[in-house]
Amino acid sequence: MDMLKRRNLFLAVTLLLVVAIVAVSAVILARGPRESSVEIVSHNQDGTLVVNDLNDGQMTIPYYDIPANSYKPDDFQDEGNGVITYEGGESYVGINVNAKSGDIDWAQVAESGVDFAMIRVGYRGKEDGNIVLDTNFQTNITGATEANIPVGVYFYSKAVTNDEADKEAAFVLEQIRGYNVTYPIAYFWEYDTTDDGSVDQSSRTVQCNGDQVTGFIDTFCSKVELAGFTACYYATKSMAYEKLDLSKLTNYDLWYAEYRSKPSFHYDFGMWQYTQEGNVPGISKSVPITLALKKYPK
């Protein structure tokens, strides 16, 4: 191929690329702002959905006939300095703390604009299975309450039976007796991993499957709701899609965790934890930040 033909071929390919880019841009401009963070591409015969996820692209997820997330992506704004706001309706800024957060100046936290605090009551050991009270629980819940910060609480579970989940709920309800808990009582259940991301084989939860974990969540949350409190459960995108049966958890709000500038999850959630590295006056260490996207108590 002589030099002239090569040059003409190059120009033709370049022109096609420019046309394609212009066409894609025109389509994007014509359709306007994206209305949903998760757009359905197709329904599969096996009961799954192919979706276009704002953060993770095309993926296949389970389909449930349950409420979907109606939050518009453009209503979440990154204000810089690790602060994200929601402009599509009510929202409240929260933190979650435990003994690892250190000593907290709750008056300073209140002055910083924090609307609520989720305080760890305790946890179950991943190897011995013992329930342990968070050493700073009483100090934190008293300090937050005295600073007029509404509180919720959470328990970090390693339950392997429904009976253990029931006992965890009973433990939490006993510990919060006498305190004014208006935000949700939340249930954290996660698989343990090693530094390389693989499953921690030493953890007592290693053999638990998704149906069992769904049962633990339901057991804990139903006991909490029966006691007159609002219950919720914590999950990441992979945990919620790949392990849990969300159709069995519709009585409880999802506390969704995704560390991006906008949440992208198909089904409805009540709170969104968007970072683990928040900086809050009055707390010397970084803490997770959550947006509650509704008013509690419900």
Side-chain angles (χ1 to χ4, degrees):
M1 184 181 293
D2 59 31
M3 186 63 69
L4 180 60
K5 288 182 178 179
R6 289 180 180 176
R7 180 174 178 276
N8 289 340
L9 179 60
F10 173 78
L11 290 174
V13 170
T14 302
L15 180 60
L16 286 173
L17 287 173
V18 171
V19 169
I21 292 171
V22 170
V24 170
S25 299
V27 170
I28 293 173
L29 290 172
R31 82 172 192 177
R34 183 167 175 152
E35 291 296 308
S36 174
S37 62
V38 182
E39 298 175 335
I40 297 175
V41 176
S42 64
H43 288 259
N44 298 330
Q45 292 183 345
D46 63 357
T48 60
L49 294 176
V50 176
V51 299
N52 181 272
D53 182 288
L54 176 66
N55 294 329
D56 295 306
Q58 186 162 303
M59 59 192 304
T60 300
I61 66 171
Y63 170 71
Y64 305 108
D65 185 17
I66 62 175
N69 156 22
S70 60
Y71 308 117
K72 296 182 179 179
D74 286 351
D75 285 337
F76 294 93
Q77 299 296 323
D78 189 340
E79 305 294 339
N81 297 321
V83 176
I84 294 177
T85 59
Y86 175 65
E87 300 176 355
E90 290 185 296
S91 67
Y92 305 89
V93 179
I95 58 175
N96 49 297
V97 299
N98 55 43
K100 295 179 181 179
S101 306
D103 295 331
I104 297 175
D105 183 336
W106 285 103
Q108 195 172 353
V109 172
E111 291 175 1
S112 74
V114 167
D115 296 310
F116 69 97
M118 299 293 291
I119 297 169
R120 188 175 72 171
V121 178
Y123 60 93
R124 187 185 288 277
K126 72 174 186 177
E127 295 178 6
D128 60 25
N130 293 329
I131 291 178
V132 181
L133 178 69
D134 186 292
T135 55
N136 280 16
F137 167 67
Q138 291 163 336
T139 299
N140 282 334
I141 196 168
T142 300
T145 301
E146 289 179 347
N148 295 316
I149 298 175
V151 299
V153 299
Y154 69 96
F155 184 85
Y156 196 74
S157 172
K158 294 300 170 188
V160 296
T161 66
N162 287 338
D163 183 62
E164 286 190 346
D166 184 84
K167 285 182 169 60
E168 291 170 345
F171 172 80
V172 170
L173 292 171
E174 178 60 30
Q175 296 302 320
I176 66 172
R177 188 186 301 274
Y179 295 106
N180 185 26
V181 176
T182 56
Y183 269 76
I185 295 177
Y187 194 58
F188 271 61
W189 197 105
E190 295 180 311
Y191 289 99
D192 293 295
T193 57
T194 60
D195 291 339
D196 64 5
S198 61
V199 176
D200 185 350
Q201 297 297 322
S202 69
S203 173
R204 69 198 306 266
T205 64
V206 67
Q207 299 298 328
C208 294
N209 61 41
D211 288 338
Q212 290 174 306
V213 179
T214 299
F216 306 156
I217 294 171
D218 186 39
T219 297
F220 180 96
C221 290
S222 63
K223 193 178 188 75
V224 165
E225 293 266 339
L226 189 62
F229 295 93
T230 299
C232 75
Y233 64 99
Y234 175 96
T236 61
K237 181 180 294 184
S238 59
M239 184 71 172
Y241 282 155
E242 297 171 14
K243 298 295 183 180
L244 302 181
D245 184 344
L246 300 181
S247 68
K248 297 180 179 178
L249 300 174
T250 55
N251 289 332
Y252 324 113
D253 283 346
L254 168 60
W255 182 0
Y256 178 59
E258 182 177 17
Y259 307 129
R260 306 285 186 89
S261 61
K262 301 176 189 292
S264 188
F265 186 73
H266 180 55
Y267 298 104
D268 191 33
F269 51 92
M271 300 197 297
W272 170 43
Q273 185 183 102
Y274 66 80
T275 182
Q276 290 182 307
E277 305 296 329
N279 296 311
V280 176
I283 306 177
S284 60
K285 298 181 180 180
S286 60
V287 293
I289 305 292
T290 289
L291 282 180
L293 301 170
K294 60 172 65 176
K295 187 174 180 61
Y296 289 99
K298 63 184 179 183

